[in-house]
Amino acid sequence: MHLTDPIADMLTRIRNGNIAKHSEVKIPFSKIKESMANILKNEGYIAGYEIKEEGTKKDIAVTLKYMDGDAVIKGLKRISKPGRRVYTSVENMPKVLGGLGIAIVSTPKGVITDKECRKHNVGGEILCYVW
């Protein structure tokens, strides 16, 4: 199966898993999705992730995180889409919910958060918002 927007598929799987109260969701592997999962783990939005190989197929098993029965991730929004790419400079870097959420940005330094973009003084393509 070929997906037009694999990042949107990843965000949708996480969103649907949270709504259905699943403990884990499987996402087809790619390096950009792995780096996004690593950011979500480091920022405390997911409990963890693990790369699972079954023959030639690789998946990322994302362990979802809940507090008092509610999902830690309240919202996920895809910003830059295949039909409309959204780029920004470090001066115009958005603050998600006034700094309570994060923006995941693809930069020349790799896939990093908006806070790290300000620290490294680099802009890039805004992939998504997480809060």
Side-chain angles (χ1 to χ4, degrees), residues 3 5-17 24-34 36-38 40 46 48-54 57-64 73 76:
L3 295 169
D5 191 358
I7 293 172
D9 177 63
M10 174 186 181
L11 298 176
T12 301
R13 286 176 191 237
I14 291 173
R15 187 182 305 114
N16 290 345
E24 184 179 276
V25 291
K26 281 190 177 177
I27 300 161
F29 178 84
S30 79
K31 287 182 182 178
I32 194 163
K33 291 186 221 172
E34 181 186 11
M36 287 176 67
N38 191 39
L40 291 174
I46 61 173
Y49 71 95
E50 183 182 350
I51 294 161
K52 295 186 176 178
E53 292 187 54
E54 296 163 15
K57 188 177 175 222
K58 277 172 105 174
D59 284 327
I60 303 171
V62 175
T63 307
L64 302 175
I73 296 175
L76 295 159

Side-chain angles (χ1 to χ4, degrees), residues 11 25 35 45 59 65 87 130:
L11 298 176
V25 291
S35 53
Y45 288 105
D59 284 327
K65 191 173 179 180
Y87 298 95
V130 183

Side-chain angles (χ1 to χ4, degrees), residues 36-98:
M36 287 176 67
N38 191 39
I39 287 172
L40 291 174
K41 180 179 172 280
N42 292 340
E43 294 290 325
Y45 288 105
I46 61 173
Y49 71 95
E50 183 182 350
I51 294 161
K52 295 186 176 178
E53 292 187 54
E54 296 163 15
T56 58
K57 188 177 175 222
K58 277 172 105 174
D59 284 327
I60 303 171
V62 175
T63 307
L64 302 175
K65 191 173 179 180
Y66 299 94
M67 292 189 95
D68 300 327
D70 291 333
V72 171
I73 296 175
K74 299 294 178 209
L76 295 159
K77 185 176 182 191
R78 180 77 160 114
I79 303 301
S80 189
K81 300 177 172 119
R84 182 175 184 269
R85 300 289 184 189
V86 178
Y87 298 95
T88 186
S89 63
V90 69
E91 293 85 22
N92 299 327
M93 191 63 62
K95 283 192 185 239
V96 181
L97 290 180

